[in-house]
Amino acid sequence: MVFQLVSSTHILQLSSPTSALYVVLALALLTAIFLIRHFTKKRQELRLKVRLDPGRIRQEYLEFLDHLQDGYVETDKKGTITFVNQSFLSELGYADRQEVYGRYFWQLAQQKYQDGIEGTFRKVFESRRPLDLFKLVIPGQEGKRMVGEAAVSPVLENGVVTGTKTSIRNITRRAEAEKAQDFQKDCLDSLLQQSPIAIAVVDKSRKLSVVNEAFAKYFGGEQEAAIGQALDAYLSAPGLMSQIYDYMEKRTREPLYLTGQRNRKDGSARDVEIFVQPFFAGSIKYGHLFFFNDISEQRKAEAELV
C-alpha cells in the first residue's frame, strides 16, 4: 500500500508543469541538434559536390592557365586548337581567342616550318608519348613575332589520344642574343682565318688549340695536323722556348716580344718575329695568343747592308 502511494506521488510529480517543461526543452534540444547535424552534413555534401563538379573544376583550371607566364595551347585529336591562354594571346598580339580557335596548331607557325610541326604532332598521336623541346617561330599580329620553345604532351583517355597540351616558352630575346653572338663569332672566325699574319692559340696545357690558315702556310703544314701539337715542334732553339714558357708561367698581362727561328716542314729554318700575350675568353684565362711574322728577308737585307 505504501508502494502504491509513493508511485502515485512520483507520477504526480512527473505530471507537474515544471517536469513537463523540462521534457519539452529536452526534446527541443535533441531536435535542434539533429537538425544542425542534418543541415551541416547537407552543406558539406553540397560543397563537395560543387568542388567535384567537372564544369567548375575546368573553369578554375582555365583561370589558372590564364595566369601562367608561358604560353599554353590545347588541341583536339586532329590538332585543331580548342584553347589558348592569355599569355599566348598577348605575346602574339591577338585580341580574342576566337581568332585562333578552329585552326590547326601548325598553321600558326611560319609557312616553311608548318610541315615539320605537323609531323611532330603526328608523332605524338602515334607514339602516345610527350616529345622533347623543339623550337618554332610564330608570327603574330601587327608585326609581332615569337620564337618559342615548345613541349607537346598527349591527352589520353583509356589509352587513346584525344588531344594535346602544349606549353610554349618565349625565348625570342635569347634567340636574338644567340644570333648576334653567332654573328660575332663568325666575324671573328673570318678575321682569324683571313688574316695574312700567322696566328695561334696555345692553351694551358701548352698545346695548340687554334691555328689559322696563314699559320699552316707559314710553317708548311696542315691546320688539322697542328691542333694538339706542342709549340716546340714549330720553333727551334731551346733558349727561345724557355723564354716563352717562363713568360707563360709568370701569368703577366704584359705582352712579350722576341725573335728566333722557326722550323719548316722541309727541315729548313727561317727567322721569325713573335708576339705573345694572354688570351681571355670573357673573364677566364684560356691560354696565350701568338702572332708570327717572317723577318727572314729583313734579316737578309740587314746582313747585305752590313
Side-chain angles (χ1 to χ4, degrees):
M1 187 70 179
V2 174
F3 174 77
Q4 291 180 355
L5 180 59
V6 171
S7 298
S8 300
T9 304
H10 184 65
I11 293 173
L12 288 175
Q13 288 178 351
L14 289 177
S15 302
S16 65
T18 302
S19 299
L21 180 60
Y22 287 150
V23 172
V24 172
L25 290 176
L27 291 174
L29 181 59
L30 291 174
T31 303
I33 293 173
F34 173 78
L35 292 175
I36 290 173
R37 293 183 61 183
H38 174 74
F39 285 113
T40 300
K41 184 178 179 181
K42 288 294 184 181
R43 190 183 301 113
Q44 291 175 346
E45 291 176 352
L46 181 60
R47 288 178 179 176
L48 182 60
K49 185 177 181 180
V50 170
R51 289 180 182 177
L52 297 179
D53 178 44
R56 183 179 178 84
I57 293 174
R58 174 65 177 173
Q59 184 61 35
E60 291 179 351
Y61 177 62
L62 296 182
E63 290 176 359
F64 164 76
L65 293 175
D66 268 338
H67 288 83
L68 290 179
Q69 186 176 1
D70 293 340
Y72 177 84
V73 181
E74 290 184 356
T75 73
D76 61 15
K77 61 183 180 181
K78 296 181 179 179
T80 305
I81 297 174
T82 57
F83 174 79
V84 294
N85 69 343
Q86 190 60 47
S87 177
F88 183 83
L89 293 175
S90 300
E91 294 288 355
L92 296 177
Y94 288 105
D96 189 359
R97 290 183 170 91
Q98 299 302 324
E99 297 182 60
V100 295
Y101 282 3
R103 299 169 63 182
Y104 291 116
F105 178 86
W106 46 87
Q107 290 179 335
L108 298 179
Q110 291 180 330
Q111 182 68 39
K112 59 182 178 180
Y113 299 124
Q114 290 185 9
D115 291 342
I117 298 175
E118 182 180 2
T120 298
F121 272 76
R122 298 302 176 201
K123 289 180 181 179
V124 174
F125 297 146
E126 294 171 3
S127 67
R128 297 180 296 175
R129 294 181 178 179
L131 293 183
D132 294 334
L133 296 175
F134 65 92
K135 291 183 179 179
L136 72 164
V137 181
I138 306 177
Q141 302 294 311
E142 301 178 356
K144 286 195 173 185
R145 172 180 171 273
M146 180 177 72
V147 180
E149 195 173 55
V152 185
S153 300
V155 178
L156 299 175
E157 291 184 8
N158 299 322
V160 179
V161 178
T162 59
T164 64
K165 295 182 178 181
T166 303
S167 61
I168 307 173
R169 173 156 295 180
N170 190 340
I171 59 170
T172 304
R173 292 183 179 179
R174 189 180 80 188
E176 292 175 350
E178 290 175 351
K179 185 177 180 180
Q181 186 176 9
D182 290 341
F183 178 75
Q184 292 177 357
K185 182 178 180 298
D186 291 340
C187 287
L188 291 175
D189 287 343
S190 298
L191 178 63
L192 175 67
Q193 297 303 329
Q194 296 177 27
S195 172
I197 300 175
I199 302 175
V201 176
V202 178
D203 60 23
K204 292 181 179 180
S205 63
R206 298 181 179 181
K207 303 292 184 181
L208 292 167
S209 60
V210 178
V211 298
N212 66 347
E213 293 182 9
F215 179 93
K217 293 179 181 179
Y218 189 65
F219 289 98
E222 300 292 335
Q223 279 186 271
E224 293 78 6
I227 303 300
Q229 296 293 324
L231 192 59
D232 309 54
Y234 296 90
L235 296 177
S236 59
L240 179 63
M241 294 308 305
S242 177
Q243 293 182 61
I244 292 175
Y245 288 148
D246 183 62
Y247 167 78
M248 295 173 67
E249 287 293 335
K250 289 181 179 178
R251 299 183 179 182
T252 177
R253 286 181 174 267
E254 297 297 325
L256 172 68
Y257 170 77
L258 41 77
T259 58
Q261 286 191 321
R262 64 184 174 92
N263 297 324
R264 290 182 57 82
K265 191 176 181 180
D266 59 8
S268 63
R270 294 177 66 88
D271 294 314
V272 62
E273 187 178 44
I274 306 172
F275 296 88
V276 189
Q277 68 177 44
F279 179 67
F280 288 85
S283 60
I284 301 175
K285 185 177 180 180
Y286 181 80
H288 286 81
L289 186 63
F290 283 75
F291 297 88
F292 303 93
N293 184 33
D294 192 336
I295 57 173
S296 296
E297 296 300 325
Q298 177 184 338
R299 287 293 173 86
K300 182 179 178 180
E302 290 174 352
E304 290 177 351
L305 181 61
V306 171

